Amino acid sequence: MSNDAPARDALDDKVNRLFAGKVVRKDLVRKVKVGANVPVFVLEFLLGKYCASSDEIAIQMGMQVVNDTLANNYIRPDESVKAQSKVKENGKYSFIDKVKVRLVDSDYWAEASNFGNKYLHIPTPYVRDYERLLTGGVWAQLDLRFEYDEETKGKNPFWIDKLTPIQIASFDLEDYRRVRREFTTDEWIDFMLRSMGYEPAEMSRRLKMLFLVRLIPLAERNFNLVELGPRGTGKSYVIQEISPYAALLTGGTTVANLFGHMTGRQKGMVQIWDVVGFDEVADLQKMPKEVITTMKTYCESGTFQRGQEAVAGDASIAMFGNTNQPIDVMVQTGHLFAPMPDVIRDDMAFIDRLHFYLPGWEIPKMRNDMFTNHYGFVVDFLAEALREMRKHNFTEVLDRHFSLGAHLNARDRKAVRKTVSGLMKILFPHGEVAPAELAEVLELALEGRRRVKEQLKKMGSFEYYHTSFSYTSQESGEERFVGVPEQGGRDLISGDPLAPGTVYTAGVTSDGTVGLYRVEVSVSSGTGKLKTAGGVAGAMKESVQRAFSFLQAKKSELGIARDLDTSDIHVEVIDLLGNRVEAEVGVAFFVAVYSALRRAPVSPGLLVLGDMSVQGNIKPVRSLVEPLQVAKDNGAKRALIPIENKRSFLEVNADVVEHVDPVFYGDPKTAAMKVLGGP
C-alpha cells in the first residue's frame, strides 16, 4: 500500500456520518504509536480531535499538532516536578494525565497520577458528570491554574479550571444500539475489524469471525477462552491494546495476586479487571499448584474461597500459547492441548471448563497489509461499548430458533450459550438477529467447544466420548451436526450422521494402495439427467454411468420413478487421501442417489465397497484387507461388502474385525435398504 492518503470507501463515509467524533483513521494511530509511549486511546482521542478530516493537508497539519501536544502536554512520570513548576511560573498550563477523585471529609480532591499531586481542587459538577473519576480514574486534558491562597498559606495551590475527558466518561447504550440498526451485518463485521485495526477486505468470512471471537472475553463475564497457535499472529494484542479494562500477565503469578489476600484487605485481579490474560501459558508451569486449583473452581462458577469468605469475580480468563508443530502433525500424533504446561494438560477437569478453543493456526501471521488504513471506532469507545454489554445477558437468544443436540452435556451447553451471547453482544447489540445469522454464530460456538471436547476424548477418557455436537431448527425440525475442520487424518470417515446423499467408499490398486472417497449426490429439479463434477473421470466416471443406467432401467421397481423423472442428479466425488487411486464406485453412487431421493441419510461411520454392471450384477472388490484397515484407522464403524467377498473376509486383521462390522449384500437394492437410516 502507498503512503498517500488511502481512498475512503462507502463504509468510511457511513461511519463518519453516524459516529461522528467517535471514529479515527487507523493508519495515523500506527504512525504516532511508533514514536510515543502513550496508551492507544489517548492517541486516538487526539487524532480524532485534530485529524478527523478527509482533507490530506488538514490531516498533516493535525498530525503536527498531535506530535506537538504529546511533546509539550503529556507528562512523563519522571517529569512531575517540572510540570508543577510550569503551572507555577506561567500561572496556568494544560496537560494530559490520568485523574482520579476521592472524597476527603466533605471535599472532593483530584489526583493527577503523572503530575504527582494528590490535592487538586476540582469543581463538583465534573464529579457529577463523570462518575468514572470516582471509580478508577479517567484520562483527561486538564487546564490547571496556580493560585496562592492567604488563608491556607499556599497549601494545595493547584486548581482544575477545565477537565476534558479523553476516555469516554459516559456511554449511551441506547444510542449505540439505535445506530447499529443502520448497518447491515456484513458492514458491521467489517467495521468492528477495522476498529480492532485489521483490514477485512481480503479476509474470508470465517477468519473475520475468528478475529471477533478474541473480543468475547471483553463482552461476556466469566468467559474462558484458550488460543494456541504459531508465534506472531497477534494473540494477546486485543487484551493489551484495545481495552483499558484488561490485564495481561506474563510470567508466573501468585494466588494472592490473582484472587486477593486471605484477609480480604486487597482485592484480586479477577475482581478488579474485566479480563485477565495469560500471555505465555507455558509459564503457568512455574506457578504454585494452588493457583491452578483455585482457578479451576473460579473458571467453573466465578467464585472461589479466600479464608472463610466465598468471593465472586466476573473477570474472563484468556489463555494464549504457542504451538511448535504444524497442526496436521499435532492432530495425528497427539492432541491440541499438547503445548499447555503439565499442570493444565494433565488435568482434564480444568480443560473441560474452557468454553472455546480458538484455532490460532488458522490466523495468519501479522503483515503490514493486514492492518487497515480506514476508519474504525476510537478504541476507547469500542472498549466502553463492550464493557457496557457485559451487564446484559444474551444466553437465551438461541432458544428462539434452535435447540441443542443430545450429545451436549450441561457444561457444553453453558459454554455454547456463553459464546453465542458474546458474539451477539459484539455483532447484534440491539438483539435483532435473523435465524440464518444466529445459526452461523451457533455453529462457530459449537465448533469451538467441540474442539475442547475432542481433545478430552483423544486423551482417552470415556466420559467425553459424546462429541457429535448438533443443533435442531425449531421451524424445519432439521438437525445439523457441527464438526471441527482440523479433525482430518484420524477421522476422515465422520462418526456423525451425514446429510442424505453422502456416502464413503474406497478403491484399491493391484499393489494394495487404497483410495478413500466421499461421494456426494445432490438433487435439483430437472428431467432425469446425470451431471458429474470435475473430479469424476476415467474408470470412476464409467462406474457411475453404469449404476445410473441401472437406476433408470429399474426406477419403477425401486419406487423412485416419479422423483427421478423430475430431478437432475449431480454427483461429486471427493478424494479424502489425495492420492488419486482409480476406484469403481458404482454401488456407493447407487446408495447415495437412493439416499438423496428418499431424503434419508445412511448410517454413520459407514463404508460402501463394490461396483456393479449395467444389469445390476455386483462386482466384488479386489481385496478387503487394505481398504478395511484404512477405513478402520479413519473412523469407519461398518462396511457394506459384496457377498462374493465373504470368504476373503477371513483374511482381515482381527483388530479390524473387532472395530468394523461387516454387512454383506447380493444386489444393489438390498445394499441400500440395509444401510439407510439403520442404527
Side-chain angles (χ1 to χ4, degrees):
M1 288 185 185
S2 67
N3 293 329
D4 301 310
R8 273 172 74 149
D9 60 13
L11 186 55
D12 286 337
D13 294 333
K14 189 167 185 176
V15 299
N16 271 290
R17 188 178 80 247
L18 294 169
F19 284 114
K22 293 171 186 144
V23 292
V24 65
R25 217 177 82 197
K26 293 288 176 173
D27 60 319
L28 303 178
V29 182
R30 290 201 300 282
K31 283 178 191 164
V32 184
K33 175 73 176 158
V34 174
N37 190 17
V38 285
V40 173
F41 41 85
V42 175
L43 286 181
E44 296 203 353
F45 164 78
L46 293 169
L47 291 167
K49 190 168 170 186
Y50 297 114
C51 305
S53 162
S54 51
D55 174 13
E56 192 56 27
I57 297 167
I59 284 177
Q60 291 306 329
M61 288 169 68
M63 287 283 280
Q64 193 55 50
V65 176
V66 169
N67 284 321
D68 291 349
T69 307
L70 287 172
N72 300 324
N73 303 78
Y74 174 69
I75 309 172
R76 296 212 336 243
D78 56 347
E79 293 179 344
S80 55
V81 180
K82 182 178 160 190
Q84 292 178 20
S85 139
K86 270 187 181 172
V87 181
K88 183 176 189 302
E89 296 309 316
N90 298 337
K92 46 174 58 179
Y93 207 81
S94 173
F95 291 113
I96 294 171
D97 204 347
K98 187 170 187 179
V99 187
K100 292 183 195 158
V101 171
R102 64 200 188 290
L103 187 60
V104 180
D105 300 333
S106 58
D107 298 325
Y108 286 117
W109 290 103
E111 171 189 349
S113 52
N114 290 358
F115 184 70
N117 191 308
K118 293 188 172 182
Y119 289 93
L120 305 175
H121 299 267
I122 183 166
T124 311
Y126 286 129
V127 183
R128 264 190 238 119
D129 291 350
Y130 308 128
E131 292 171 3
R132 288 252 308 277
L133 285 166
L134 297 163
T135 58
V138 174
W139 279 86
Q141 199 156 358
L142 295 173
D143 292 357
L144 288 176
R145 104 180 116 79
F146 183 90
E147 189 177 294
Y148 184 87
D149 186 357
E150 283 296 339
E151 269 180 49
T152 59
K153 301 276 188 293
K155 198 180 172 198
N156 310 329
F158 297 109
W159 298 69
I160 294 175
D161 274 351
K162 188 169 176 219
L163 182 145
T164 316
I166 288 179
Q167 284 170 281
I168 287 135
S170 58
F171 172 80
D172 184 347
L173 181 64
E174 281 317 307
D175 190 53
Y176 177 72
R177 285 174 157 166
R178 180 184 58 72
V179 180
R180 163 64 183 93
R181 289 187 176 92
E182 308 271 335
F183 290 83
T184 66
T185 305
D186 289 346
E187 284 176 337
W188 189 255
I189 288 174
D190 287 357
F191 181 43
M192 284 309 244
L193 280 156
R194 285 178 176 177
S195 300
M196 293 167 77
Y198 303 119
E199 178 47 57
E202 300 300 313
M203 291 185 190
S204 65
R205 174 75 165 206
R206 177 173 170 79
L207 183 56
K208 291 179 189 180
M209 295 299 276
L210 291 177
F211 270 118
L212 292 175
V213 168
R214 286 178 170 175
L215 291 176
I216 296 179
L218 294 169
E220 183 70 27
R221 292 176 182 174
N222 299 107
F223 186 80
N224 309 324
L225 174 75
V226 61
E227 178 179 352
L228 303 178
R231 290 165 177 76
T233 53
K235 291 187 279 288
S236 52
Y237 168 78
V238 167
I239 308 290
Q240 233 170 341
E241 295 287 356
I242 284 187
S243 174
Y245 306 116
L248 187 68
L249 290 171
T250 47
T253 185
T254 61
V255 182
N257 189 15
L258 268 180
F259 300 104
H261 278 270
M262 279 288 188
T263 54
R265 252 197 350 260
Q266 191 187 338
K267 286 187 171 178
M269 294 184 78
V270 296
Q271 294 162 278
I272 299 169
W273 298 94
D274 283 359
V275 185
V276 178
F278 295 91
D279 193 12
E280 294 294 337
V281 82
D283 291 344
L284 292 176
Q285 186 66 35
K286 307 184 191 90
M287 287 206 247
K289 186 87 173 99
E290 197 189 346
V291 171
I292 304 296
T293 48
T294 315
M295 200 144 91
K296 191 156 62 172
T297 313
Y298 176 74
C299 286
E300 174 64 29
S301 59
T303 58
F304 51 93
Q305 200 74 23
R306 294 306 281 149
Q308 280 146 26
E309 296 283 313
V311 189
D314 58 13
S316 295
I317 300 286
M319 296 179 169
F320 307 108
N322 296 320
T323 52
N324 299 320
Q325 296 171 301
I327 179 62
D328 45 357
V329 175
M330 282 170 65
V331 168
Q332 290 187 345
T333 57
H335 57 78
L336 299 178
F337 283 110
M340 288 286 217
D342 302 347
V343 282
I344 294 178
R345 187 176 58 223
D346 301 339
D347 190 339
M348 291 192 191
F350 188 97
I351 289 174
D352 195 24
R353 286 162 166 77
L354 297 170
H355 296 142
F356 194 100
Y357 186 141
L358 190 68
W361 52 89
E362 288 190 36
I363 290 174
K365 286 189 184 289
M366 290 296 129
R367 302 182 310 272
N368 250 356
D369 58 347
M370 289 184 66
F371 297 114
T372 189
N373 293 338
H374 291 278
Y375 286 84
F377 275 136
V378 174
V379 284
D380 200 55
F381 185 82
L382 176 63
E384 208 55 50
L386 295 173
R387 181 169 215 221
E388 188 64 29
M389 293 309 294
R390 285 175 83 84
K391 299 173 187 167
H392 300 268
N393 183 8
F394 283 91
T395 50
E396 305 305 315
V397 171
L398 62 90
D399 297 333
R400 293 181 202 164
H401 302 288
F402 304 108
S403 55
L404 297 170
H407 273 212
L408 284 91
N409 64 25
R411 255 186 208 153
D412 301 328
R413 286 166 192 268
K414 179 179 172 186
V416 168
R417 284 179 185 282
K418 283 183 91 71
T419 309
V420 169
S421 172
L423 283 168
M424 279 291 298
K425 291 172 184 182
I426 294 160
L427 297 175
F428 309 102
H430 51 321
E432 295 163 20
V433 56
E437 292 167 335
L438 186 56
E440 180 186 16
V441 166
L442 176 55
E443 286 190 12
L444 186 61
L446 284 163
E447 179 206 310
R449 173 60 188 172
R450 178 166 176 175
R451 189 171 287 110
V452 174
K453 199 90 179 276
E454 287 285 357
Q455 310 324 308
L456 289 166
K457 176 176 159 183
K458 274 191 178 174
M459 291 175 201
S461 180
F462 193 73
E463 62 187 295
Y464 301 115
Y465 254 63
H466 295 300
T467 57
S468 295
F469 282 12
S470 63
Y471 65 95
T472 305
S473 162
Q474 288 168 5
E475 280 152 40
S476 65
E478 180 195 0
E479 186 171 21
R480 296 201 54 173
F481 287 81
V482 178
V484 282
E486 73 279 351
Q487 210 53 30
R490 294 293 264 247
D491 292 324
L492 291 174
I493 297 175
S494 170
D496 294 344
L498 298 163
T502 308
V503 172
Y504 292 102
T505 186
V508 58
T509 62
S510 51
D511 65 2
T513 309
V514 176
L516 203 55
Y517 296 95
R518 189 169 72 236
V519 180
E520 294 186 357
V521 168
S522 57
V523 179
S524 65
S525 53
T527 53
K529 291 192 182 69
L530 172 66
K531 300 192 172 176
T532 55
V536 186
M540 184 185 284
K541 188 169 187 178
E542 289 168 21
S543 68
V544 166
Q545 285 166 336
R546 285 198 299 273
F548 189 70
S549 304
F550 174 75
L551 266 166
Q552 287 281 30
K554 303 284 184 186
K555 59 190 174 190
S556 302
E557 283 173 48
L558 295 166
I560 53 171
R562 208 177 51 141
D563 286 343
L564 198 57
D565 289 342
T566 57
S567 311
D568 285 348
I569 304 293
H570 301 258
V571 59
E572 185 175 3
V573 180
I574 291 118
D575 185 346
L576 297 174
L577 297 175
N579 55 7
R580 302 203 177 122
V581 168
E582 282 274 282
E584 298 184 327
V585 298
V587 177
F589 169 71
F590 177 91
V591 172
V593 173
Y594 205 80
S595 157
L597 291 172
R598 285 255 174 270
R599 295 182 186 79
V602 299
S603 48
L606 173 82
L607 181 79
V608 177
L609 296 172
D611 191 23
M612 59 197 280
S613 70
V614 181
Q615 293 183 337
N617 297 321
I618 301 298
K619 299 180 179 178
V621 192
R622 188 180 275 129
S623 160
L624 280 185
V625 179
E626 300 86 0
L628 288 183
Q629 180 68 52
V630 171
K632 177 245 163 194
D633 290 347
N634 283 289
K637 304 279 185 292
R638 304 172 77 197
L640 197 57
I641 301 170
I643 197 102
E644 285 88 330
N645 286 111
K646 192 163 190 177
R647 290 191 57 186
S648 50
F649 193 74
L650 302 172
E651 301 159 15
V652 174
N653 181 334
D655 186 11
V656 175
V657 174
E658 189 179 317
H659 286 91
V660 182
D661 296 334
V663 180
F664 294 101
Y665 68 92
D667 65 88
K669 187 174 181 186
T670 312
M673 289 306 175
K674 281 191 170 180
V675 295
L676 280 198

